[in-house]
Structure formats: structure tokens, C-alpha cells
Amino acid sequence: MADVTGRVYEAFIEYLLRRAGYRDEWTEGNAPQYLYEKHREALCHQDKSICPHAEECSAHSRVNSIPYGPWYDPDFFILKESVPAACIHVTHWSNPRSSKYKFWRTIEDHFQYKTQFGAGFLSINAVFEGTPAGTAPNLLRDTVAKYPLHGWDPAIASALVSSFDASLIFPRDYEILKKFAKALPPRMPSNPKARRLAYDQTWESLYAKDSAVASELDSCVALLRKAFGWSPHPRYSKPVIRKLQDKCFEGRKRSVGVKPTLSRYRKGIQHAFILREVIGDIIRAGATADDCLWRVLTNNSRFQTKNFRGLLGLPPSVSQGKINAVFNVLADIPVRMVKRVPQFLLVKSSGVGHSAWDSDFSYFVQTVRGLDAAAAKEFRNSLEALFADYRSAQGIPDVIRDLAEPDRVRKKVGYVFHHYVGQKNKAAFIKKLSDDLLIPGKNPPHQAVAKDAHNWIAQIILVAYGLGSIQAISNALPQKFANATGEELSRYGYMGGAASVTRYLLAGVPVGQVMSAKAALSEAQFYKVIGPLFSECIWEATQNAAARTAGETEFYYRHGKAARIISSSDLEPIKFLFRREVSQVGEGPRLRGCFNQLSTQRGWGSSALTTDASGLDPKTGAVIQTQTVIGRKHIADKTRELAARLRSLHITCDSKGDFSSSPDATSHFLVVDGDWPLESKINLYEAGFEGIFEIGELSLLAEALDNLSKIDDATS
């Protein structure tokens, strides 16, 4: 199949715009114009007919040097007589499991453009790879029945296609897109303008030569024109947009003096956990790993290599061989990749005779060293309690052993290469792997090499073939299971998610605890069926991939184990730390905004598009969220998700599916860690957060909650 990517989808929409009579940004004329991945400045502060706060907001923003959004570019921005009129979002996905995140990110763009250009601004979503192959493109603005999109939770898919002024949905494996991708020249220009012209010329050539393509393109152009002819969705009425604008203006007033955040608490804490557990695994006796870790956290991050024993505070009773083993293991744990170059937890050579910790961990060490004595004592107690909690997480003891004991990983990889890598017989591969999978009540052969709680045999096969994502399995397994049993695989997944079955199989977690009551098979029957199908999916995924060497497989497997600790969502220290610091805060509620209400009203699902808050202040009712980003990676995505979730709480959906503004009854605060630029924090204030705090500012959060309580007392 030809390679159909996001650029191909965008080139397709651009060609439809051209055929519909729109001109690009460098073409002169009177026709309506589109901008590609660009936007005009917001109009809300320039025109009182768009936003009633325009005059006051303009003066406030100018005096305090607060920049304006929109903070993100839509894929296409439409101008009519130079006036912003509409936009097109291009939505596609490689990983259906991320559907809820994709939903919120696109909705935040939609909300921003409605807020900043007014209720009359048209927001269209073009959704690719959504419906079954062979179906015709579809145009809609709402649905009552569930509307499935490939791999998505049906409730989220239905909400997505109902949440814009219009949705254009295209099928999977769309034939004209495959023809276009195949017709592209082997080498495309690197210049963006020249590349876009090459795309256009390819479409023109196909249109002229292939009547089937021309007919299909004409139909799509007609759908696009029809979408542009619709008025904005009545859900986004002026009162609804006014509510979002009120919140936006309040947020801009709170943005005075806002500064970027640059912290490494989460990543540093995860590195500290790896360090502490490796020391404990190798040294075992003669020292306390917690003491060793604390000495590291309170000393220079760069040190003389010969003083490593002294840095850890290890007594003479601990052999030099064990100390060398700790040093070498830490210097061989890849904690991140920079342009495909591994960065290790411990940098062996950092100047003559010196070593140093990874830069992220070093940043954290500097933070800890800056704490006063009382804060440092409390922080150490918090870390030790947190790490005790970490050790109870699924499979973590096995992960630590894989990081601390290189020979253990070497034996695992050796077993996989002996039995599976290079296997040419499909039936033999499937039979062997099916019998070798770890399932409840079974002790398969691979456990004799390393007795883990998870299915390391399947994980290492995926790593050996460079299959970092389980998407190929998750895509194929549901249909295979349906063909074999006549049942939906989702009945055996967590909260009805078929993709979670693959994760459970890899992790060795029994599915019996999440199976639906509607499931026809018992747990034992399920495993008997799923084993060969799962093994067949892995076989098929490996057929188009070249195997790595054993050494490369060992490295990437250990890198994945480090990432299991550093990046996994179930090991989240920020919520834990803020709950200890702001002790009055209790468990957070599950928040249900307008899209969850719409899903519930329509019978699509009552649990879709909810938001689990991190904490709740029982006295004021204030809700606290926590969010970490790793460096600046994915910062735009996380900002958009947070902002859209909060904006949805300002809107209520009634039994008819109509939206109205929701009364203000709750204050929302956010605790962040990582690299958050100024624009992201302004975006979050505009969405409705009343305060944004770093981990080092938790005392200020406590003070803000106390002030809110005093205000409540005074007005009650």
C-alpha cells in the first residue's frame, strides 16, 4: 500500500479548497483565501460585537504586555475579503488508543477560534481513516445514533463528529488517496511552497487522467462547499461563546506577571527511584539505600570518580566490586534519547577524573540542595513514602532487576533469539509462542529463565523487531477474535476497550478482573482462544521488520524498562507530593462537562470524556489538577487537553443536546512540573484556571485555598 500520511491528507484538503474556488496565501485576487498552518490575530479584542470585553481587554493586555492567541494554528484558515471566516481542522490518528486525547486537543482549537473570532466563525473538522473502507465520504454536523470511527471508543467518536459546525468524514484506505500517494514523485522539494505546488500538480494530473478520481474529487468538493454553506452549529450560541469569553477575560487579568515554569521534579524523582533501587539491588547489605540516595541528592551533581564510594557513604565492608558494579550499571541505564543518541543516568566522563549525573537529574539535585533543613527533612520523608508506594506497582520489582542485573536481560534476549528470532515457520512460531505465554495458573517455559510477573517473552520479540508500538497487534486482534468467536473483543477489555486486552496480555495481568458480564467465554476459555490469535498478530507484525542484533535488543529493552519508570502514568509523584504538602486536600472528583453530558443524554456512554481531578478542597469545593510534561515534549498537546477539559465544564448540555452556559460554582487550580512556556500558561488561564503553581510553590497553593475560604466565609 502507498504511504498515506498526514501531509497527504492536508494536500488533499488543499486541493479541494482550490477546486472549490479558494486561493492560497501567495495568489492575488478577489476570491476567498485560505492560509495553510497560519492564522490571523484574534479579533475579540478589536471588536465589541465579537467580545463585550474588547476595549477593556485591549487596554489591559497592552499595559501588561500580555500576548494574544490563537495559540495554535488550524490546518487551514479561511479569509473572506480579508476577514477571518472559518477554519478546517484535519484529524487523523496512528494510535486509536489516543482517541480521547485527540478529541480534547482538536476541541481546544475549536473553542479558541470560537472564542477569539466569535460565534459566527465556522469551524469544520475533516476526519480521515474514520469509516470502513469502501464507504463514501460523509458530511454531518450531529448524530443521535452512535457513529463509530476506526479504533475509537464509540461514545468519543460520536461526540467528535457532533462537536463542530460540520464534520467531513473519509473512509479508511481511501482509494484516491492511495492513488495520489503512489503518483507522487520519488523526491519531493524541501521548500514548503514548492512541495505544496508539487502536491497540487499531482492532483491536477490525476484529475485529468483518471475519470474515477475526477468524479470522486468533484463529489468531495461538493461536500466541502455544502459545509461552508452551513451556518454555525446552534450549540455554540452567542450566550455559550459569551461564557467562554468571560472566562477568557478573567484569565487574562490573572495572567499579569506570569512567568514560564522550568522544573524537573517528576523526572528527577523517577531517576532518584531508579538510583535508589539499583543501589539496593546490588549492595543488598552493609548500607541503607535511602541514606545513599539522600547523600547523592545533597551533594554536587558532578564529582570525582574516585570518590564515588564516599559520595554514596558506603563503608569499607561493602566490597569495591559491588561499588564498581553500581557505578557501571548506572552508567549503562539509558534514561532518554537525544537525536537517537542515548543519554545515561550517570555520565562516566565529565572532565578529567570526574563523573556527573544526567542533566535532568542534575537539575533536580540542585533543586533539592536548595531546600532549607525543615523542607528537606519533610521532602525526604515524602520520597521514602512515595517509593514504598512505587514498589507495589505491577511488575516494578522485575523492572528494577532488569535495570540492575545486565546478565538477566542477556539471558532473556538469548532465549528469544534462540526460539523466535529468525523463525521461518509460521505455524511453529504461533504454537511455540502460544504455549510460552504467561497466563493465570500457568508456568510457561520462558519463566525458567526469568520468573517475572509480565510476559517478557512477547515484549522482547517486539523489541527485537523494532516494534516499539503495540498498535499493529491492537489493530488486528479484534477482527481475528470476532472471526474466531463471533464476539467483540471489547467485552474482555478494561472499560470495554479492546486495546487494553493487548496491554493486559503483555503485562501478564489477568483479564478476568475486567471482563464484561456479557462476555460469553470464561476466563480459561478466553485465554485458550486468544493465545494463538495474539501470537499470530505478533508473527504478522514481525514479517515486515528486520531483526536487531542481540546487543541492540538488550539496549532497547533496558531503555524501555527505564521509560516504564520515568514516563509511565501509574508512577506519578506530583499528585502524591501535593497531597502531602496541602494536607487538607482530599481525593479529587470525577468531572463531567458538556461533552460527557451529551454522550450520556444520547445513550452513547456515561463514562466517556470525563476528567478525574487530582484533589478537592473540602472547605471551599476548589478542584486541583496536576500535570507533568517531560521537558517541553508534548507541551502543546497537554496544554490543549487541560484547557479543553476545563472549558467544557463552563458549558451545560440539556436533554435535547443543546448547550448553555453553566453557573460558576467551582474554583480550579493547577499544579505543574516540567517546562511550561508563557503562552501555554496564558492559554490555561484563559480556559479558566484561577491559579497555576509549581511543585516548589505548594505553600502558595495552600495560601490561595485559605484566602478562598476566607472569601467564602465573608460572603456566606
Side-chain angles (χ1 to χ4, degrees):
M1 175 181 164
D3 185 22
V4 180
T5 66
R7 289 289 185 191
V8 169
Y9 303 136
E10 291 159 18
F12 174 63
I13 294 297
E14 181 166 19
Y15 186 68
L16 296 185
L17 283 167
R18 287 176 181 270
R19 292 208 68 84
Y22 291 79
R23 59 189 173 93
D24 56 43
E25 57 263 47
W26 57 79
T27 300
E28 298 293 332
N30 296 320
Q33 185 179 41
Y34 66 85
L35 308 179
Y36 177 59
E37 294 184 338
K38 296 181 180 68
H39 64 260
R40 288 288 175 86
E41 185 183 13
L43 296 181
C44 52
H45 64 287
Q46 303 175 28
D47 189 339
K48 290 186 70 173
S49 68
I50 291 176
C51 178
H53 305 291
E55 190 174 319
E56 189 177 355
C57 183
S58 179
H60 168 80
S61 302
R62 184 172 58 253
V63 169
N64 294 287
S65 300
I66 301 173
Y68 289 101
W71 305 112
Y72 312 103
D73 295 321
D75 294 285
F76 296 94
F77 190 85
I78 310 300
L79 302 170
K80 291 186 177 179
E81 297 180 355
S82 299
V83 177
C87 66
I88 301 176
H89 317 272
V90 176
T91 302
H92 57 93
W93 53 90
S94 58
N95 183 355
R97 289 185 297 140
S98 66
S99 62
K100 61 182 177 182
Y101 307 113
K102 178 72 74 171
F103 174 88
W104 289 118
R105 293 166 197 167
T106 312
I107 284 295
E108 172 58 13
D109 296 347
H110 173 69
F111 275 153
Q112 279 195 33
Y113 281 83
K114 287 289 188 180
T115 301
Q116 298 187 359
F117 295 101
F121 189 83
L122 199 67
S123 178
I124 299 172
N125 193 17
V127 182
F128 287 88
E129 301 294 319
T131 48
T135 57
N138 192 13
L139 173 67
L140 52 79
R141 70 187 308 168
D142 207 349
T143 182
V144 175
K146 283 185 179 178
Y147 193 97
L149 295 175
H150 169 61
W152 280 42
D153 176 287
I156 300 176
S158 303
L160 180 80
V161 300
S162 301
S163 297
F164 294 81
D165 296 320
S167 290
L168 270 167
I169 301 107
F170 299 96
R172 297 185 64 202
D173 300 329
Y174 195 22
E175 188 61 32
I176 63 171
L177 291 180
K178 291 195 289 184
K179 288 183 177 181
F180 171 74
K182 188 176 181 179
L184 287 171
R187 296 189 65 178
M188 294 294 292
S190 57
N191 178 274
K193 179 178 178 180
R195 183 173 60 246
R196 286 168 61 193
L197 289 174
Y199 286 148
D200 182 66
Q201 290 165 3
T202 303
W203 274 121
E204 284 287 0
S205 177
L206 283 172
Y207 189 90
K209 296 178 181 178
D210 190 324
S211 59
V213 170
S215 176
E216 191 70 17
L217 285 169
D218 287 343
S219 297
C220 292
V221 169
L223 289 177
L224 183 63
R225 284 180 172 144
K226 184 177 180 181
F228 278 130
W230 284 352
S231 59
H233 200 297
R235 277 202 190 100
Y236 302 102
S237 62
K238 287 187 177 181
V240 168
I241 301 305
R242 170 67 183 273
K243 179 59 178 287
L244 297 179
Q245 291 171 334
D246 290 345
K247 285 293 179 182
C248 179
F249 180 52
E250 292 170 10
R252 292 185 67 79
K253 288 190 287 187
R254 294 190 187 101
S255 297
V256 175
V258 67
K259 294 181 175 61
T261 290
L262 181 66
S263 63
R264 293 290 188 281
Y265 272 91
R266 186 190 193 281
K267 204 167 187 182
I269 287 170
Q270 311 305 64
H271 288 170
F273 178 65
I274 293 174
L275 172 61
R276 188 251 179 246
E277 298 304 297
V278 165
I279 292 171
D281 187 273
I282 295 175
I283 301 298
R284 296 184 183 274
T288 302
D290 290 318
D291 290 339
C292 294
L293 171 62
W294 196 249
R295 286 181 61 86
V296 169
L297 295 179
T298 52
N299 276 281
N300 290 326
S301 57
R302 182 173 178 269
F303 54 89
Q304 287 188 325
T305 305
K306 66 181 181 180
N307 289 340
F308 187 62
R309 176 193 289 270
L311 174 67
L312 299 182
L314 295 172
S317 60
V318 177
S319 71
Q320 188 60 41
K322 286 190 173 182
I323 292 172
N324 292 342
V326 171
F327 184 90
N328 290 328
V329 165
L330 294 174
D332 199 41
I333 295 177
V335 293
R336 59 196 173 99
M337 302 287 283
V338 177
K339 296 180 179 179
R340 300 185 180 181
V341 177
Q343 309 295 306
F344 298 97
L345 180 54
L346 178 61
V347 181
K348 281 185 175 181
S349 180
S350 180
V352 178
H354 283 73
S355 300
W357 301 110
D358 171 72
S359 59
D360 283 333
F361 189 48
S362 295
Y363 195 100
F364 175 67
V365 169
Q366 294 169 24
T367 301
V368 175
R369 293 184 70 200
L371 299 174
D372 60 40
K377 181 179 179 180
E378 178 61 27
F379 187 65
R380 176 173 178 173
N381 291 336
S382 296
L383 276 188
E384 292 179 7
L386 174 67
F387 291 168
D389 187 60
Y390 276 11
R391 293 182 200 105
S392 66
Q394 166 71 18
I396 287 299
D398 299 330
V399 172
I400 293 300
R401 292 187 64 195
D402 280 338
L403 291 174
E405 303 169 27
D407 284 345
R408 187 174 193 266
V409 173
R410 194 163 295 119
K411 291 175 183 177
K412 287 182 172 183
V413 171
Y415 178 90
V416 168
F417 270 69
H418 177 71
H419 291 286
Y420 297 99
V421 175
Q423 171 64 264
K424 302 298 183 183
N425 187 305
K426 177 180 179 180
F429 180 98
I430 292 173
K431 176 68 168 60
K432 171 67 177 173
L433 183 55
S434 301
D435 293 340
D436 214 359
L437 291 175
L438 180 64
I439 64 175
K442 182 181 174 183
N443 186 30
H446 78 264
Q447 290 282 294
V449 177
K451 196 172 182 61
D452 287 8
H454 62 280
N455 254 317
W456 62 258
I457 183 75
Q459 290 181 341
I460 292 181
I461 293 172
L462 294 175
V463 173
Y465 284 93
L467 301 170
S469 169
I470 62 172
Q471 199 53 52
I473 301 172
S474 295
N475 283 346
L477 191 57
Q479 190 60 55
K480 290 182 184 294
F481 186 79
N483 293 342
T485 67
E487 271 207 295
E488 294 182 5
L489 184 60
S490 59
R491 292 180 179 176
Y492 299 83
Y494 176 67
M495 295 183 70
S500 71
V501 174
T502 304
R503 298 198 299 274
Y504 273 42
L505 290 171
L506 287 171
V509 177
V511 301
Q513 60 191 347
V514 297
M515 285 168 48
S516 167
K518 297 179 181 178
L521 303 178
S522 67
E523 184 180 38
Q525 291 170 328
F526 169 78
Y527 277 111
K528 188 174 181 179
V529 172
I530 203 68
L533 301 178
F534 179 74
S535 301
E536 183 180 15
C537 288
I538 291 183
W539 165 267
E540 291 172 352
T542 63
Q543 294 312 290
N544 294 320
R548 290 165 166 159
T549 65
E552 290 171 333
T553 302
E554 290 174 26
F555 167 80
Y556 283 105
Y557 181 72
R558 294 181 78 239
H559 178 255
K561 294 304 170 182
R564 164 69 180 93
I565 292 172
I566 295 169
S567 303
S568 186
S569 59
D570 67 333
L571 302 183
E572 173 51 68
I574 303 308
K575 176 181 175 181
F576 181 92
L577 292 175
F578 108 79
R579 292 281 298 281
R580 284 179 67 96
E581 180 76 20
V582 191
S583 57
Q584 75 268 31
V585 171
E587 288 292 334
R590 175 160 289 182
L591 307 174
R592 301 178 183 275
C594 58
F595 299 112
N596 170 262
Q597 295 165 20
L598 177 64
S599 177
T600 302
Q601 298 285 5
R602 296 262 166 102
W604 302 332
S606 59
S607 61
L609 302 170
T610 57
T611 297
D612 290 325
S614 302
L616 175 70
D617 180 21
K619 190 169 184 180
T620 64
V623 172
I624 297 94
Q625 297 283 35
T626 59
Q627 184 63 63
T628 299
V629 292
I630 305 301
R632 296 190 69 160
K633 186 179 181 182
H634 303 313
I635 180 61
D637 290 344
K638 293 302 178 187
T639 302
R640 291 154 81 193
E641 290 164 24
L642 281 167
R645 287 175 184 272
L646 185 52
R647 290 191 209 259
S648 76
L649 300 177
H650 307 322
I651 304 170
T652 296
C653 179
D654 65 18
S655 59
K656 298 179 182 178
D658 294 332
F659 285 176
S660 60
S661 63
S662 180
D664 291 328
T666 306
S667 297
H668 292 264
F669 297 93
L670 178 64
V671 179
V672 298
D673 180 52
D675 294 0
W676 295 79
L678 181 72
E679 293 79 5
S680 293
K681 295 177 84 170
I682 295 174
N683 185 174
L684 292 168
Y685 274 119
E686 289 177 347
F689 283 105
E690 294 186 25
I692 303 174
F693 304 93
E694 302 176 19
I695 292 297
E697 299 174 330
L698 289 174
S699 60
L700 297 179
L701 171 59
E703 183 180 329
L705 293 174
D706 185 55
N707 290 337
L708 189 62
S709 176
K710 292 175 182 177
I711 293 172
D712 288 348
D713 290 342
T715 56
S716 62

